[in-house]
Amino acid sequence: MGRSRRTIPEELLLLALDPATGTTAQPQSLDLGLAGAQLVELALAGRIAPDGDRIAVVMPRPTGDPTLDSALELLRRRGSPVRAVHWIGGPRLGLRQIYLAHLERCGMVHAVAGQMCGVLPTTRYQATDTAISREIRARLDSAIRTGVPPDPRTAALAALAHAVGLGKHLYPGNEGRSSRSRLRDLIRHDPMGGLVAHAVMDVQNGVAVQPRRDRPPAPPARATASGVPLQPRRTGAMARVAAH
């Protein structure tokens, strides 16, 4: 894949990075969003494809991006398509720190050591080239302002930004309400981005990520001495319906 194009996880993290404080907005949900962003990037690279609400590996060849290839290999080892909500809600938290370290290695951010309350060590991250962050934000602003259907990458980025709650960070206050609404509406412009964005929101909202269990079968009817099955006793409304 090379370094000619920034990946969607990288762009999502740069969007979330506050240039004033060096911290990321929505840190808890951002891990989920980065997991979803990896799926979108792998789909755009032709490595995976949606199969209903599941994700299937269609080409296991590495992309050349270590973080994406790690996710691709985990998906490949599953052996069968996995539900997007199961993947995003799985035990891969900590992606925020992984990607911050990745951006530092790529020279997009630099770490600034500090202390909290003069005792606890902290690390903040500053973008090394603020023009990159401005360009990413400008693409998002243009899609919101013009109403023109954005390209798949921008549409997916907008969907994920909405899903992790970056709308109130990017477009705060009452004056940003209409922009937040239009950001949410961009979710419909990319099927894969929409799929993973809804999965991110489902995980945050506590929607069941375990496969639905079928209703257990009814116990077999007890037999009488003559061998005729004994029918279940009707009660209440069932007895009244049977009487008619």
Side-chain angles (χ1 to χ4, degrees):
M1 181 176 292
R3 296 307 305 162
S4 60
R5 185 194 295 272
R6 292 183 302 273
T7 66
I8 294 176
E10 292 168 357
E11 292 195 331
L12 182 65
L13 186 52
L14 288 171
L15 266 183
L17 194 62
D18 189 319
T21 65
T23 60
T24 53
Q26 305 299 111
Q28 286 76 30
S29 57
L30 193 55
D31 276 336
L32 303 176
L34 289 170
Q38 287 184 319
L39 294 180
V40 177
E41 191 65 49
L42 287 170
L44 289 171
R47 297 326 195 256
I48 64 174
D51 182 7
D53 67 344
R54 297 176 182 270
I55 304 298
V57 175
V58 294
M59 184 191 298
R61 180 166 56 85
T63 65
D65 182 300
T67 51
L68 291 176
D69 289 341
S70 176
L72 180 61
E73 177 62 14
L74 287 173
L75 284 166
R76 186 192 66 79
R77 289 178 184 175
R78 292 293 185 95
S80 60
V82 59
R83 289 183 65 199
V85 70
H86 289 171
W87 173 261
I88 290 169
R92 274 174 311 284
L93 300 181
L95 278 178
R96 182 169 47 98
Q97 291 300 337
I98 291 173
Y99 265 100
L100 283 169
H102 171 71
L103 289 180
E104 187 178 17
R105 288 193 301 271
C106 294
M108 293 191 201
V109 302
H110 69 275
V112 180
Q115 288 184 329
M116 181 182 296
C117 302
V119 179
L120 299 175
T122 62
T123 303
R124 301 180 184 276
Y125 294 86
Q126 300 291 337
T128 56
D129 186 353
T130 56
I132 294 176
S133 298
R134 289 197 300 269
E135 184 272 330
I136 298 170
R137 176 66 182 271
R139 281 169 36 219
L140 216 56
D141 290 345
S142 177
I144 288 173
R145 184 178 63 254
T146 64
V148 175
D151 62 275
R153 302 185 71 84
T154 302
L157 180 63
L160 288 161
H162 166 70
V164 302
L166 286 184
K168 58 187 177 184
H169 166 71
L170 299 171
Y171 308 103
N174 287 333
E175 64 275 16
R177 183 177 300 173
S178 60
S179 292
R180 293 195 299 270
S181 177
R182 287 192 289 270
L183 179 69
R184 180 195 62 222
D185 292 342
L186 290 175
I187 200 170
R188 70 181 187 274
H189 288 293
D190 179 62
M192 187 66 180
L195 170 65
V196 299
H198 280 111
V200 168
M201 290 185 285
D202 283 347
V203 173
Q204 292 182 87
N205 293 332
V207 174
V209 296
Q210 295 299 323
R212 186 182 64 181
R213 294 180 179 178
D214 294 331
R215 182 179 299 176
R222 292 180 290 114
T224 63
S226 61
V228 177
L230 186 65
Q231 297 301 320
R233 183 168 60 91
R234 295 183 174 92
T235 60
M238 291 179 61
R240 290 192 294 273
V241 172
H244 292 283

